[in-house]
Amino acid sequence: MLVNLEINKENLRKNLKKIRSINKNIICVIKDNAYGLGIENILPILLENNCNYFAVAYIDEAVKIREILKNFEKEKKLGFLENKKINIMVLNYIEPKNLKYAVENDVELTIFNFSQLSNYLKILEESFENTVLKIHIKVNSGMNRLGFNESEILELIEIIKKYEINSKNNKLEIISIFSHISDAENQIETEKQVEKYENILKIFDKNNVKYQYKHLQASPLLFKYGEKYNYDFARVGMALYGMEPLSYDVGLFDVITVKSQIINIRNVKKNDKISYGSKGIVKRDSKIGIVSIGYAHGLQKQIENSQEAYVLVNGKKAKIVGEICMDMIFVDLTDINDVEINDEVVIVGSQRNVENGTQKKITLRQVARWVGTIQDDVLTKFSGIKKQ
Ligand SMILES: *Cc1c(COP(=O)(O)O)cnc(C)c1O
């Protein structure tokens, strides 16, 4: 593949430092294959920087982390890991058939409704003896996605009391009670959600439920309110990878660069058509470059509807023109001198203009605007690109 994605380790480290300057206890969110960047690429960087708590979406991802750690131990690659416990929590749903793996490999699960809890308890009672499942209880503070409502907490506590650690059944160890904020930049909504979360915690406390931690922050809440909602952990994803979590920039460092190459150049006349369909009518005599990236690599087709979208060639803007193809795009090179086949094209990231030494940059946020989506969507779509 001519397309590749580079991960800037040093900038990821700087983002980590920035995050830690607000909350030093973080659960690094590497769900959905580390937002498309590859758990195998991101995990070692985080481990080297002393991260030891990770959140994933699926059991397979927890399996992958445990396997990577085993290999590291075998190869004695990360000596400092030796006495360090690595915690893994799963944020999404785990099918009951995978419970065995979670228990055997010390994977902590999120419990978010009664049917899930009773299915797990049934398996724990039938198939495991003297086994404790580590759980995080998710409560609904207003997003209405996963989590127990305030009105369900007493019923939940009744079940927990029967199974909690050191009770007669001794099946559940509650690691945390947590929630997720849906609209951090809306202060009124956020305060309501925090209040709801606090009220729910009070119910657990009043009933003497034993749990270790509370956590509420994801990247937006952390950067919007600083230490105010620190609790015991921040669960951070997007900020690690350099995506700006708020509508204004908080000064994170760019972690990814997506690059390709020009594979063909041709001259076309005013009013000639380019690419599929008839939308791509050239308005002047033009030099058109064909770049080896398309929607199969995750450059979303909707970007063709933007009048502004461009890539960088020789450190200059080259507009994306015509319809996006599966593995190629058309760019306007008319105003760029000295371009040749095989020249580098930057789709996300920085490139230097050789003539005057200046840097030009395309951010994930910019691409998201052109496509009409959010940065996380742009980034995860690049999951199939080879990483460097
Ligand atoms: C994805 C996710 C996070 C991380 O969110 P970012 O905004 O990427 O930092 C935290 N908590 C939960 C429950 C999530 O699903």
Side-chain angles (χ1 to χ4, degrees), residues 3 7 27 43 49 71 84 135-136 144 188 195 200 211 216 222 238 240 251 253 266 282 344 358 370 379:
V3 190
I7 297 168
I27 296 174
L43 181 68
N49 288 287
N71 285 334
K84 205 179 244 165
I135 59 166
H136 296 258
N144 290 313
I188 294 170
E195 196 185 329
I200 291 174
Y211 60 93
L216 194 57
L222 181 89
M238 65 187 301
L240 284 173
F253 298 88
R266 71 168 66 245
V282 179
E344 178 192 272
T358 55
W370 292 334
L379 183 62

Side-chain angles (χ1 to χ4, degrees), residues 183-196:
D183 190 5
E185 285 192 90
N186 181 335
Q187 191 169 346
I188 294 170
E189 270 308 311
T190 298
E191 281 170 5
K192 261 195 224 162
Q193 282 194 250
V194 173
E195 196 185 329
K196 176 138 274 183

Side-chain angles (χ1 to χ4, degrees), residues 132-377:
V132 177
L133 181 67
K134 293 184 178 172
I135 59 166
H136 296 258
I137 294 175
K138 189 160 196 188
V139 298
N140 178 25
S141 56
M143 187 165 180
N144 290 313
R145 187 173 61 179
L146 306 181
F148 292 92
N149 287 334
E150 188 172 353
S151 59
E152 296 173 314
I153 302 300
L154 283 174
E155 188 185 344
L156 174 64
I157 289 174
E158 212 175 301
I159 301 170
I160 287 170
K161 282 282 161 192
K162 274 189 241 156
Y163 292 94
E164 74 182 343
I165 198 160
N166 298 327
S167 68
K168 191 164 104 301
N169 294 297
N170 195 28
K171 294 280 179 211
L172 298 175
E173 179 178 350
I174 303 164
I175 307 292
S176 83
I177 296 170
F178 77 105
S179 193
H180 196 43
I181 296 294
S182 57
D183 190 5
E185 285 192 90
N186 181 335
Q187 191 169 346
I188 294 170
E189 270 308 311
T190 298
E191 281 170 5
K192 261 195 224 162
Q193 282 194 250
V194 173
E195 196 185 329
K196 176 138 274 183
Y197 177 58
E198 288 280 351
N199 285 341
I200 291 174
L201 289 173
K202 270 187 211 136
I203 306 175
F204 282 99
D205 292 341
K206 239 207 284 189
N207 287 278
N208 295 317
V209 175
K210 293 181 211 86
Y211 60 93
Q212 293 181 43
Y213 307 119
K214 308 166 200 175
H215 44 102
L216 194 57
Q217 284 161 329
S219 305
L221 192 70
L222 181 89
F223 281 96
K224 177 76 188 173
Y225 302 94
E227 296 173 0
K228 187 170 181 190
Y229 301 121
N230 269 11
Y231 296 96
D232 296 304
F233 288 104
R235 304 180 307 270
V236 180
M238 65 187 301
L240 284 173
Y241 314 114
M243 290 186 280
E244 285 289 345
L246 300 172
S247 54
Y248 49 91
D249 280 8
V250 300
L252 291 163
F253 298 88
D254 298 314
V255 171
I256 75 147
T257 304
V258 178
K259 283 181 185 169
S260 185
Q261 283 176 30
I262 292 174
I263 55 166
N264 196 23
I265 297 176
R266 71 168 66 245
N267 293 306
V268 294
K269 292 269 178 243
K270 183 179 172 180
N271 293 327
D272 277 354
K273 282 181 195 163
I274 53 169
S275 194
Y276 291 113
S278 49
K279 276 196 278 184
I281 296 168
V282 179
K283 294 195 184 75
R284 56 174 178 172
D285 290 356
S286 301
K287 180 168 66 178
I288 299 291
I290 310 300
V291 180
S292 178
I293 185 170
Y295 54 80
H297 308 107
L299 185 65
Q300 281 146 282
K301 184 146 169 62
Q302 293 87 324
I303 203 168
E304 72 195 28
N305 300 323
S306 162
Q307 298 304 305
E308 273 175 65
Y310 58 84
V311 296
L312 299 175
V313 178
N314 284 355
K316 292 180 183 156
K317 294 180 184 182
K319 264 197 172 180
I320 297 174
V321 288
E323 285 200 31
I324 308 297
C325 305
M326 192 180 286
D327 49 32
M328 286 177 260
I329 58 171
F330 295 65
V331 300
D332 187 353
L333 302 174
T334 314
D335 301 324
I336 305 177
N337 298 324
D338 304 323
V339 190
E340 288 174 22
I341 287 175
N342 293 329
D343 277 1
E344 178 192 272
V345 178
V346 166
I347 293 93
V348 180
S350 301
Q351 197 185 45
R352 214 171 80 89
N353 179 331
V354 263
E355 281 165 32
N356 60 20
T358 55
Q359 291 267 355
K360 270 225 181 332
K361 180 163 107 174
I362 299 173
T363 61
L364 280 169
R365 171 168 270 170
Q366 227 164 343
V367 176
R369 284 206 190 105
W370 292 334
V371 173
T373 185
I374 57 167
Q375 301 161 88
D376 305 57
D377 184 24

Side-chain angles (χ1 to χ4, degrees), residues 11-195:
N11 282 357
L12 200 157
R13 211 178 58 79
K14 287 184 190 162
N15 289 335
L16 198 51
K17 197 171 158 195
K18 210 172 164 69
I19 294 159
R20 282 176 167 151
S21 73
I22 307 173
N23 190 340
K24 61 185 190 335
N25 299 315
I26 57 177
I27 296 174
C28 298
V29 182
I30 53 174
K31 66 185 179 191
D32 297 281
N33 207 20
Y35 291 48
L37 296 175
I39 286 177
E40 67 282 8
N41 302 316
I42 298 300
L43 181 68
I45 306 174
L46 296 172
L47 290 169
E48 280 168 21
N49 288 287
N50 290 313
C51 298
N52 66 345
Y53 218 135
F54 300 98
V56 294
Y58 313 107
I59 194 77
D60 316 39
E61 297 179 327
V63 173
K64 193 166 173 180
I65 293 177
R66 288 284 179 229
E67 272 167 10
I68 292 172
L69 290 171
K70 254 184 231 156
N71 285 334
F72 278 166
E73 267 167 42
K74 229 189 275 165
E75 295 165 18
K76 302 227 176 302
K77 242 194 197 156
L78 293 164
F80 60 84
L81 270 183
E82 267 172 31
N83 299 312
K84 205 179 244 165
K85 194 167 156 354
I86 304 293
N87 303 295
I88 306 171
M89 84 176 279
V90 173
L91 295 166
N92 206 309
Y93 177 61
I94 296 290
E95 287 171 277
K97 66 174 191 215
N98 290 320
L99 199 66
K100 184 171 153 54
Y101 182 86
V103 167
E104 286 171 353
N105 291 275
D106 195 13
V107 175
E108 304 162 2
L109 304 187
T110 295
I111 302 288
F112 53 83
N113 68 27
F114 286 113
S115 81
Q116 180 203 17
L117 180 58
S118 70
N119 285 335
Y120 290 176
L121 284 172
K122 200 162 153 232
I123 295 173
L124 285 172
E125 291 201 304
E126 283 169 2
S127 321
F128 295 93
E129 251 179 79
N130 303 322
T131 298
V132 177
L133 181 67
K134 293 184 178 172
I135 59 166
H136 296 258
I137 294 175
K138 189 160 196 188
V139 298
N140 178 25
S141 56
M143 187 165 180
N144 290 313
R145 187 173 61 179
L146 306 181
F148 292 92
N149 287 334
E150 188 172 353
S151 59
E152 296 173 314
I153 302 300
L154 283 174
E155 188 185 344
L156 174 64
I157 289 174
E158 212 175 301
I159 301 170
I160 287 170
K161 282 282 161 192
K162 274 189 241 156
Y163 292 94
E164 74 182 343
I165 198 160
N166 298 327
S167 68
K168 191 164 104 301
N169 294 297
N170 195 28
K171 294 280 179 211
L172 298 175
E173 179 178 350
I174 303 164
I175 307 292
S176 83
I177 296 170
F178 77 105
S179 193
H180 196 43
I181 296 294
S182 57
D183 190 5
E185 285 192 90
N186 181 335
Q187 191 169 346
I188 294 170
E189 270 308 311
T190 298
E191 281 170 5
K192 261 195 224 162
Q193 282 194 250
V194 173
E195 196 185 329

